[in-house]
C-alpha cells in the first residue's frame, strides 16, 4: 500500500467499507463528535478511490462522529490498497485504538486466515501485534457451536470465559454450558474462575444434564449442598 496523498474530501463522497466492525458505542461517538466540533479531525481518515466515490479504509468512528457534528468536508489520506491490505489496516487500527467486541475481531482474523488471503497464525499475529497463542484462541471461537457463538456475539460471555468454552470438544456440552454461563446483563458477566470451576464439575459428572433444567443442566444430589455455597447449575445464584 502506498503512502497516499492528503486532501479535503466531501463527507457525502465517502462510502463505508465492509468493515468487520458491527457495533459502536453511542456515548463514545457523541463525545468524539463534540471534540470534533471544537478541534476538528486531528488525524485524517484513510480512503481509497472506487469509481466516483471513496471507500473508507480506516476511521469509521471519526467519519460517524463527523456526520453527527455536521461536517461537510473531512481530511483524508487517499491510498491505493488491495482488499487484504484494507482488512489488515482496519484490524491494526481497531486493535490499537478503541477495543472492538472480541468476537467481531475473531471473525475478522478468520477472514485473514481463509481464502483468498490464506494467512497462517504466525503471519496474522505479526500483522496485528499479538501473540500466536492469542490468535489461536480467537480463531478457535469461530469454530464453537452455534449456541456459544451467539452468546459471544451478543456479549453475554466474557472473552476469558469464551476461550474456556472453546476448549470443550463436545458440542452438546458446550451448548449447555454456554446457556448456563451467559448473562444478558453485561455488568454481571460470569468470571473466569467461576466458569472454570463450573466446567470442571461438569467434566467430573457432578451435574446431570439428562433433565430439562435451565440451560439443560441440573445439579445432582452430590453437588446440591456445595452449590448453595457457590452456585446453582444455571449460575443464577452466583
Amino acid at each position: 500500500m502506498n503512502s497516499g496523498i492528503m486532501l479535503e474530501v466531501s463527507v457525502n463522497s465517502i462510502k463505508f467499507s465492509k468493515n468487520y466492525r458491527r457495533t459502536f458505542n453511542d456515548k463514545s461517538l457523541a463525545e468524539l463528535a463534540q471534540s470534533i466540533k471544537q478541534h476538528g479531525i486531528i488525524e485524517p481518515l484513510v480512503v481509497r478511490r472506487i469509481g466516483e466515490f471513496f471507500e473508507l479504509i480506516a476511521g469509521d468512528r471519526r467519519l460517524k462522529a463527523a456526520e453527527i457534528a455536521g461536517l461537510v468536508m473531512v481530511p483524508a489520506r487517499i491510498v491505493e490498497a488491495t482488499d487484504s491490505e484494507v482488512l489488515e489496516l482496519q484490524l491494526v487500527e481497531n486493535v490499537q485504538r478503541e477495543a472492538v467486541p472480541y468476537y467481531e475481531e475473531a471473525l475478522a482474523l478468520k477472514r485473514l486466515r481463509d481464502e483468498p488471503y490464506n494467512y497462517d497464525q504466525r503471519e496474522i499475529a505479526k500483522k496485528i501485534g499479538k501473540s500466536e497463542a492469542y490468535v489461536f484462541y480467537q480463531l478457535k471461537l469461530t469454530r464453537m457451536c452455534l449456541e456459544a457463538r451467539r452468546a459471544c456475539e451478543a456479549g453475554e460471555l466474557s472473552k476469558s470465559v469464551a476461550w474456556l468454552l472453546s476448549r470443550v470438544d463436545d458440542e452438546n456440552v458446550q451448548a449447555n454450558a454456554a446457556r448456563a454461563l451467559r448473562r444478558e446483563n453485561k455488568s454481571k458477566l460470569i468470571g473466569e474462575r467461576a466458569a472454570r470451576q463450573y466446567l470442571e464439575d461438569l467434566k467430573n459428572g457432578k451435574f446431570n444434564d439428562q433433565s430439562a433444567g435451565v440451560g439443560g443442566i441440573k445439579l445432582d444430589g452430590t453437588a446440591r449442598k456445595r452449590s448453595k455455597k457457590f452456585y446453582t447449575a444455571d449460575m443464577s445464584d452466583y
Side-chain angles (χ1 to χ4, degrees), residues 15 97 112 130 134 178-179 192 196 220 231:
K15 305 296 183 183
R97 295 178 181 278
L112 283 176
K130 297 284 188 178
Y134 178 89
R179 282 193 291 269
E192 180 182 357
R196 189 180 295 277
D220 61 21
Y231 53 66

Side-chain angles (χ1 to χ4, degrees), residues 56 149 174:
L56 183 66
R149 296 201 310 272
Q174 192 178 77

Side-chain angles (χ1 to χ4, degrees), residues 171-182:
E171 285 198 358
N172 290 328
V173 174
Q174 192 178 77
N176 284 335
R179 282 193 291 269
L181 296 172
R182 68 192 307 174

Side-chain angles (χ1 to χ4, degrees), residues 100-103 137-138 141 144 148-166 177-178 181-196 199 238:
V100 299
Y102 67 87
Y103 191 69
Y137 278 111
Q138 283 292 83
L141 296 181
M144 294 197 299
R149 296 201 310 272
R150 283 177 173 171
C152 291
E153 189 170 17
E156 296 171 345
L157 296 170
S158 70
K159 180 163 66 176
S160 59
V161 171
W163 281 13
L164 283 176
L165 281 183
S166 72
L181 296 172
R182 68 192 307 174
R183 284 292 174 274
E184 291 185 5
N185 188 334
K186 307 301 187 296
S187 65
K188 295 183 178 180
L189 296 181
I190 299 300
E192 180 182 357
R193 178 174 174 272
R196 189 180 295 277
L199 291 174
Y238 170 65

Side-chain angles (χ1 to χ4, degrees), residues 7-205:
L7 286 177
E8 286 285 323
V9 176
S10 166
V11 170
N12 292 333
S13 69
I14 303 176
K15 305 296 183 183
F16 285 93
S17 67
K18 296 180 180 179
N19 195 329
Y20 68 94
R21 292 199 64 174
R22 301 178 187 175
T23 57
F24 293 88
N25 185 295
D26 291 339
K27 181 180 178 182
S28 176
L29 280 177
E31 292 173 348
L32 181 56
Q34 185 60 37
S35 175
I36 287 175
K37 284 182 179 180
Q38 295 179 346
H39 309 292
I41 296 179
I42 298 174
E43 184 170 353
L45 311 177
V46 181
V47 300
R48 64 175 176 175
R49 190 180 293 277
I50 303 292
E52 299 178 356
F53 296 93
F54 295 101
E55 180 185 32
L56 183 66
I57 296 177
D60 286 58
R61 291 181 65 248
R62 276 166 282 163
L63 181 56
K64 287 179 180 293
E67 291 177 335
I68 295 172
L71 267 63
V72 176
M73 305 291 288
V74 291
R77 181 160 61 95
I78 304 171
V79 302
E80 294 180 5
T82 64
D83 290 344
S84 62
E85 288 172 335
V86 168
L87 181 56
E88 287 172 31
L89 186 57
Q90 290 172 344
L91 271 168
V92 171
E93 181 184 72
N94 288 325
V95 167
Q96 293 178 346
R97 295 178 181 278
E98 183 185 41
V100 299
Y102 67 87
Y103 191 69
E104 289 185 19
E105 182 190 78
L107 292 176
L109 297 180
K110 181 178 181 297
R111 283 176 59 190
L112 283 176
R113 185 200 61 192
D114 294 345
E115 295 182 354
Y117 310 127
N118 295 316
Y119 293 152
D120 60 29
Q121 288 177 195
R122 177 175 298 180
E123 291 173 318
I124 295 173
K126 184 177 180 180
K127 289 181 182 298
I128 68 172
K130 297 284 188 178
S131 68
E132 289 184 50
Y134 178 89
V135 173
F136 170 79
Y137 278 111
Q138 283 292 83
L139 290 174
K140 200 170 177 64
L141 296 181
T142 65
R143 299 193 296 271
M144 294 197 299
C145 68
L146 180 61
E147 187 82 26
R149 296 201 310 272
R150 283 177 173 171
C152 291
E153 189 170 17
E156 296 171 345
L157 296 170
S158 70
K159 180 163 66 176
S160 59
V161 171
W163 281 13
L164 283 176
L165 281 183
S166 72
R167 297 163 64 181
V168 177
D169 294 327
D170 187 295
E171 285 198 358
N172 290 328
V173 174
Q174 192 178 77
N176 284 335
R179 282 193 291 269
L181 296 172
R182 68 192 307 174
R183 284 292 174 274
E184 291 185 5
N185 188 334
K186 307 301 187 296
S187 65
K188 295 183 178 180
L189 296 181
I190 299 300
E192 180 182 357
R193 178 174 174 272
R196 189 180 295 277
Q197 183 65 63
Y198 177 86
L199 291 174
E200 185 65 27
D201 287 350
L202 192 62
K203 177 181 177 182
N204 293 333

Side-chain angles (χ1 to χ4, degrees), residues 206 218-229 231:
K206 292 186 177 181
K218 284 188 176 181
L219 291 173
D220 61 21
T222 60
R224 196 178 305 279
K225 183 177 180 181
R226 179 183 174 200
S227 71
K228 292 180 180 179
K229 297 180 180 179
Y231 53 66

